[in-house]
Amino acid sequence: MRVLFAASEAMPLVKTGGLADVVGALPKALAKKGVDVTVVLPKYGEIPKAITDRAITVAVMEVQLGWRRQYCGIQEVMVDGIRFLLIDNEFYFYRGSLYGYGDEAERFAFFSFAVLEMLEKFDLLPDLIHCHDWQTGLIPFLLRTRYANRPGYRDIRTVFTIHNLQYQGVFSRALLQDLLATGDDSFTQDSLDFYGAGSCMKAGLRFADKLSTVSLTYSYEIQTEEYGEKLDGVIRQRAHDLWGIVNGIDTEVYDPMNDPFLKFPFLDSLDKKRQNKTALQSELGLPVDETIPMIGMVSRLSGQKGFDLISEALPALMKENIQLVILGSGEHNIESMLQHTFMNNRDKMAVWFGFNEGLARRFYAASDMYLMPSRFEPCGLSQLIALRYRSVPIVRETGGLRDTVESYNEYKGSGNGFTFGPATAKDLIYTVRRALSFFDQKEIWARIVANGSKKDYGWDSSAQLYYKLYRELVT
Ligand code: ADP
């Protein structure tokens, strides 16, 4: 079975969030099952030179975008045994960061056309294209409309995976009509129309043969008005084609025994883990004391991640005997709020703003607990990485957090973390205090950590489910 992954980021090339982890790891797990996987990405300026230096140009073509023709190079490079194809156009992709530009519609419309054009030019017609998030939502749409009659294209099946329904790629109808060179017929309710505008996410949801999202709970949540981001009706109509498959993590990349970013490799030794804690305390300028419980966060600074609850809870949390360490990048107002609390609590809190993979690993390794009070969470990888690094998750029961973290039950001795349901600061504070009360009881704490270590949170069983999903389309 030949599968092409089309996505806007993938480890170890470029990453802004969990999507990159998934597109980096799932192909490797599928390849082990005999699937022939290729991954296609935009060739961003951020991709490490060590990788792009090895890339070989295998085709050069022009892509028609509305009335314009744009240069498009295709480069090939093998990374960790997986073939990557890079769509090269410096004007679109050689910029300071991955997203956030005024011409986002044009960049990813170009990418979508380029992927489809490349298949023929490069003799790569796959059995299935697996598209990820809105940046690739136009691919299933174009395949079933513009490319429907091209020889070889009709048999290609598509899967569209929602990693986060909040980001939808909604643009004005006039802009999309220009880029796609389509008429009003593509903007009906059954097609791209989204309340008078056009939606790339909806294009994927409407036209892909199968849909999936990254946890079972989120697959139900997005069918409700509360979590459906105004697309719940469209998703409900396709409920029979929607699968919820929980993400795993790449256990070779996230391996506390062999992590190049850690000074003290460890797995089940909490003593060794504590050495990582004191090392991070020194690195961040916190009081060095291995007995103080350290609570970690590594996160995009966005409303989704529950920073409003944290803001409200901080005065109470700062009265506890804890050290709160936060690594994040994103919204400026969240950064200011955290910075303000940090300035007044320098012995209890440390913040680091920016994206830093090495520091992230040290946060996971050093922290005793990992806080993730998300308002919604399609899957969440951070809590899985935390479990792998023996940091006990404290999470709100939503989406993938609900599917992967089970609250500690003191009567049965079961559970790998601490959870709360209502999205209130009161519940957050109560749950952190509950965790702290067990932290002081060494045997119980060791048991909770051991419960979390029973699973490796790898990709094996979920890759099997994706394989089953593909098999429903490709026989
Ligand atoms: P999301 O995809 O919504 O951002 P996930 O929990 O699924 O959240 O994945 C986030 C991934 O990005 C994790 O691997 C996490 O460690 C990483 N990450 C988030 N923020 C940072 C940061 N500032 N520096 C380094 N890694 C980060």
Side-chain angles (χ1 to χ4, degrees):
M1 194 192 307
R2 290 171 92 188
V3 175
L4 178 70
F5 269 55
S8 59
E9 50 185 281
M11 279 280 273
L13 285 79
V14 270
K15 165 169 168 175
T16 69
L19 170 65
D21 284 309
V22 175
V23 181
L26 179 56
K28 287 203 257 174
L30 287 166
K32 279 188 199 148
K33 301 195 182 300
V35 181
D36 176 0
V37 193
T38 298
V39 182
V40 57
L41 290 183
K43 188 186 173 203
Y44 302 104
E46 286 81 354
I47 299 176
K49 208 169 162 317
I51 293 176
T52 50
D53 277 353
R54 289 196 288 112
I56 296 164
T57 301
V58 286
V60 170
M61 58 188 191
E62 284 192 331
V63 168
Q64 183 90 32
L65 201 59
W67 52 269
R68 309 179 278 290
R69 294 185 75 77
Q70 305 286 30
Y71 167 86
C72 177
I74 298 165
Q75 302 189 343
E76 179 177 3
V77 62
M78 294 294 291
V79 183
D80 297 343
I82 296 293
R83 179 163 67 147
F84 282 84
L85 297 174
L86 305 175
I87 300 292
D88 179 29
N89 175 306
E90 295 201 349
F91 169 67
Y92 288 129
F93 301 124
Y94 213 81
R95 299 187 181 180
S97 56
L98 266 58
Y99 314 119
Y101 298 97
D103 57 350
E104 225 67 332
E106 183 165 338
R107 297 172 76 216
F108 291 103
F110 169 79
F111 179 67
S112 301
F113 275 116
V115 169
L116 288 166
E117 288 295 329
M118 160 190 95
L119 303 181
E120 204 174 46
K121 294 269 175 335
F122 200 34
D123 192 20
L124 189 103
L125 294 168
D127 297 306
L128 188 145
I129 307 180
H130 189 161
C131 302
H132 299 267
D133 273 353
W134 78 261
Q135 290 87 351
T136 56
L138 291 172
I139 293 176
F141 162 75
L142 291 170
L143 195 60
R144 292 290 165 257
T145 52
R146 183 77 48 84
Y147 290 80
N149 294 321
R150 276 218 200 167
Y153 281 68
R154 188 174 313 190
D155 295 333
I156 301 175
R157 299 283 163 257
T158 51
V159 172
F160 181 70
T161 296
I162 307 160
H163 294 262
N164 191 332
L165 192 61
Q166 193 174 45
Y167 304 102
Q168 299 189 350
V170 173
F171 304 102
S172 81
R173 191 165 160 157
L175 175 61
L176 285 178
Q177 280 188 337
D178 169 53
L179 292 170
L180 304 174
T182 52
D184 288 340
D185 52 332
S186 294
F187 286 83
T188 59
Q189 284 211 351
D190 286 347
S191 193
L192 306 186
D193 173 67
F194 186 71
Y195 302 93
S199 162
C200 297
M201 176 66 88
K202 190 175 168 198
L205 296 176
R206 271 278 172 217
F207 289 90
D209 296 308
K210 291 276 180 194
L211 307 175
S212 79
T213 188
V214 289
S215 70
L216 198 58
T217 295
Y218 194 59
S219 76
Y220 299 131
E221 285 175 342
I222 56 178
Q223 296 180 45
T224 66
E225 210 183 319
E226 189 183 351
Y227 292 93
E229 305 283 352
K230 296 196 158 55
L231 282 170
D232 44 299
V234 177
I235 296 170
R236 277 197 302 275
Q237 279 177 2
R238 299 223 47 202
H240 55 289
D241 287 322
L242 172 64
W243 289 41
I245 305 177
V246 72
N247 286 335
I249 51 172
D250 189 327
T251 49
E252 280 169 25
V253 173
Y254 296 110
D255 176 4
M257 268 311 263
N258 293 294
D259 188 326
F261 296 112
L262 303 188
K263 246 198 212 138
F264 305 101
F266 71 103
L267 192 59
D268 287 322
S269 157
L270 290 185
D271 280 340
K272 280 265 165 55
K273 185 171 164 66
R274 275 190 282 273
Q275 291 181 335
N276 284 292
K277 173 155 79 177
T278 50
L280 186 68
Q281 287 168 332
S282 314
E283 185 177 349
L284 298 176
L286 285 165
V288 178
D289 179 347
E290 62 167 46
T291 65
I292 302 175
M294 180 183 279
I295 303 178
M297 287 188 80
V298 177
S299 178
R300 280 186 298 116
L301 303 180
S302 97
Q304 173 196 341
K305 301 293 178 180
F307 281 100
D308 55 333
L309 306 182
I310 290 178
S311 167
E312 215 183 313
L314 271 173
L317 294 181
M318 288 297 105
K319 291 198 180 104
E320 301 290 333
N321 176 35
I322 58 166
Q323 289 178 344
L324 179 62
V325 298
I326 301 178
L327 164 61
S329 63
E331 289 170 26
H332 187 67
N333 57 339
I334 298 176
E335 201 175 288
S336 313
M337 178 274 291
L338 295 173
Q339 179 73 15
H340 179 77
T341 312
F342 157 68
M343 299 290 272
N344 295 311
N345 297 275
R346 284 168 178 271
D347 55 337
K348 293 204 167 178
M349 194 167 162
V351 286
W352 204 99
F353 300 121
F355 196 91
N356 187 326
E357 185 70 33
L359 198 54
R361 307 286 183 87
R362 293 196 285 284
F363 271 46
Y364 289 114
S367 57
D368 300 291
M369 299 160 207
Y370 188 85
L371 185 59
M372 211 167 161
S374 306
R375 288 203 161 258
F376 71 94
E377 195 57 75
C379 176
L381 294 175
S382 294
Q383 82 281 12
L384 302 181
I385 304 170
L387 283 162
R388 177 96 171 122
Y389 283 66
R390 309 303 185 237
S391 180
V392 174
I394 302 173
V395 306
R396 194 171 96 72
E397 289 153 20
T398 183
L401 295 174
R402 185 165 173 268
D403 295 351
T404 55
V405 181
E406 183 195 342
S407 212
Y408 177 63
N409 179 322
E410 58 263 58
Y411 305 106
K412 294 194 212 149
S414 61
N416 58 3
F418 295 88
T419 72
F420 60 100
T424 70
K426 200 168 129 239
D427 287 274
L428 190 160
I429 296 163
Y430 171 82
T431 311
V432 169
R433 286 193 181 134
R434 181 162 179 255
L436 291 173
S437 73
F438 290 115
F439 181 77
D440 290 334
Q441 306 175 53
K442 283 217 159 62
E443 262 176 40
I444 294 184
W445 195 256
R447 167 111 191 223
I448 299 168
V449 174
N451 288 346
S453 70
K454 280 185 195 140
K455 276 177 76 177
D456 75 354
Y457 307 98
W459 265 105
D460 248 14
S461 53
S462 294
Q464 187 59 36
L465 285 173
Y466 275 108
Y467 184 74
K468 213 171 139 195
L469 173 60
Y470 297 165
R471 275 282 168 231
E472 293 218 335
L473 297 171
V474 181
T475 45

